[in-house]
């Protein structure tokens, strides 16, 4: 994994915009605990077809003004036109945002057309055309292959197109098999791609939830992990303790072998991330 070892290790967090007052309270509680870690940046998702775009913008502003954190909003191809994407980019530029995550996005059920951008590489190219080098652009990477890809080779070619369109760095879908990440990095190196590819990390706190997420996104849960989680039944404390051990070990191995940091999918909860952070002995980023 030579191509990653020359990048400095950095740590980032992902949040989603709240839709209810209760969810807003949960997010603020998580931010109060996680902001002192001083992550390099915090990405903010939005729903299918931009269904939470305004809430994403509000959350981004809050991260900046209330917590003094660099925010990286997600933007997506699905249901976007060049005109409304231009408006979104202008709004973020005016807010002082310099970092974005450009994705194809999920197609909502019943939607027949993706919009004027079909693939993330087209979105990346448009952002570069409109804004030059203003934004640092993150794209998604899939060490275990995108669930809708036609195959490994096709998926790698798709990733290469995004990079060549102007991506600066990438964040992976979460995974629990480190070898999948190492192989993906080797494959990228063979394609001549040299950019930071940060592992996405999903804490394990709820077996039913993680099994459902993994089924949807194509992330493999190793058999031994699945069997241990199944055996723990409804013992939430034991599941959290086991999950903390498994994910901390994964992170430790990734960092020891040269990964350029970690990107934590927080699910707007602080405790699991804090536990992993402590186990790894990380300083504030």
């Amino acid at each position: 994994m030579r191509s990653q070892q020359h990048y400095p290790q950095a740590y980032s967090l992902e949040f989603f915009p709240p839709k209810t007052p209760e969810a807003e309270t949960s997010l603020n509680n998580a931010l109060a605990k996680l902001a002192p870690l001083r992550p390099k940046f915090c990405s903010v998702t939005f729903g299918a077809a931009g269904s939470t775009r305004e809430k994403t913008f509000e959350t981004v502003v809050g991260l900046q003004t209330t917590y003094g954190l660099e925010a990286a909003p997600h933007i997506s191809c699905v249901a976007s036109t060049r005109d409304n994407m231009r408006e979104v980019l202008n709004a973020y530029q005016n807010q002082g945002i310099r970092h974005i995550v450009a994705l194809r996005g999920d197609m909502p059920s019943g939607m027949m057309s993706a919009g004027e951008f079909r693939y993330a590489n087209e979105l990346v190219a448009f952002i570069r055309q409109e804004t030059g080098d203003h934004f640092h652009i993150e794209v998604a990477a899939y060490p275990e292959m995108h669930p809708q890809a036609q195959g490994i080779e096709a998926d790698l070619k798709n990733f290469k197109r995004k990079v060549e369109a102007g991506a600066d760095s990438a964040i992976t879908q979460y995974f629990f098999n480190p070898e999948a990440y190492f192989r993906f990095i080797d494959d990228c190196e063979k394609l001549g791609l040299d950019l930071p590819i940060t592992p996405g990390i999903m804490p394990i706190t709820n077996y039913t939830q993680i099994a459902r997420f993994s089924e949807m996104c194509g992330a493999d849960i190793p058999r031994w992990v699945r069997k241990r989680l199944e055996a723990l039944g409804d013992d939430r404390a034991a599941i959290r303790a086991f999950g903390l051990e498994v994910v901390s070990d994964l992170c430790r191995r990734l960092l020891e072998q040269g990964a350029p940091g970690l990107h934590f999918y927080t699910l707007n909860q602080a405790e699991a991330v804090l536990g992993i952070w402590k186990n790894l002995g990380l300083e504030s980023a």
Side-chain angles (χ1 to χ4, degrees):
M1 220 176 67
R2 297 184 304 277
S3 65
Q4 298 294 291
Q5 291 175 339
H6 61 280
Y7 294 115
Q9 290 178 332
Y11 306 91
S12 51
L13 308 173
E14 180 170 293
F15 300 96
F16 61 84
K19 295 182 180 180
T20 66
E22 294 79 12
E24 189 163 355
T25 298
S26 294
L27 173 60
N28 288 329
N29 288 340
L31 283 168
K33 296 174 182 176
L34 293 172
L37 302 181
R38 307 312 302 171
K40 183 178 181 182
F41 68 91
C42 297
S43 65
V44 182
T45 70
F46 65 90
S51 56
T52 61
R53 183 169 287 160
E54 289 74 21
K55 278 291 187 182
T56 298
F57 189 86
E58 291 175 15
T59 303
V60 164
V61 172
L63 286 170
Q64 289 180 302
T65 58
T66 304
Y67 298 98
L69 298 170
E70 178 181 339
H74 287 206
I75 59 174
S76 163
C77 299
V78 174
S80 293
T81 66
R82 284 170 172 75
D83 286 343
N84 67 32
M85 185 56 66
R86 196 174 286 114
E87 291 176 7
V88 169
L89 294 172
N90 286 339
Y92 283 129
Q93 280 184 295
N94 292 338
Q95 191 60 39
I97 295 296
R98 300 298 300 264
H99 200 152
I100 54 179
V101 182
L103 307 167
R104 191 197 73 169
D106 297 324
M107 187 88 75
S109 59
M111 179 175 283
M112 301 302 293
S113 173
E116 292 185 24
F117 303 100
R118 295 170 300 164
Y119 304 110
N121 65 290
E122 296 175 356
L123 178 58
V124 173
F126 178 79
I127 296 168
R128 285 287 176 239
Q129 175 188 325
E130 292 291 317
T131 65
D133 293 330
H134 177 84
F135 290 110
H136 180 106
I137 302 177
E138 303 274 357
V139 293
Y142 297 87
E144 295 176 311
M145 195 178 80
H146 191 284
Q148 296 175 353
Q150 295 178 347
I152 290 289
E153 291 302 318
D155 204 35
L156 284 167
K157 288 178 181 177
N158 288 339
F159 182 67
K160 188 173 189 283
R161 277 192 284 270
K162 291 190 286 189
V163 175
E164 292 176 342
D168 295 294
S169 53
I171 300 169
T172 77
Q173 175 61 271
Y174 75 84
F175 56 88
F176 299 110
N177 288 306
E179 291 304 330
Y181 174 78
F182 300 141
R183 175 58 63 89
F184 180 78
I185 297 301
D186 288 343
D187 288 342
C188 288
E189 187 172 348
K190 290 173 185 175
L191 290 174
L193 303 178
D194 187 7
L195 76 167
I197 303 173
T198 302
I201 303 298
M202 178 70 79
I204 299 174
T205 59
N206 180 309
Y207 174 56
T208 302
Q209 181 188 60
I210 200 70
R212 185 177 73 251
F213 286 171
S214 299
E215 182 69 25
M216 291 168 55
C217 72
D220 179 57
I221 302 177
R223 186 174 185 273
W224 72 272
V225 174
R226 188 182 292 273
K227 291 299 181 184
R228 284 286 299 273
L229 289 168
E230 290 172 353
L232 293 173
D234 295 328
D235 189 338
R236 294 186 177 183
I239 288 172
R240 285 194 293 269
F242 175 67
L244 178 61
E245 176 187 351
V246 167
V247 178
S248 295
D249 287 345
L250 169 66
C251 293
R252 195 173 292 112
R253 183 173 176 191
L254 291 167
L255 294 175
E256 287 173 353
Q257 296 197 35
L262 303 166
H263 181 75
F264 293 97
Y265 297 111
T266 71
L267 301 181
N268 291 8
Q269 301 294 320
E271 283 68 24
V273 174
L274 290 171
I276 297 167
W277 201 277
K278 181 179 178 182
N279 281 355
L280 296 176
L282 298 178
E283 300 294 330
S284 297

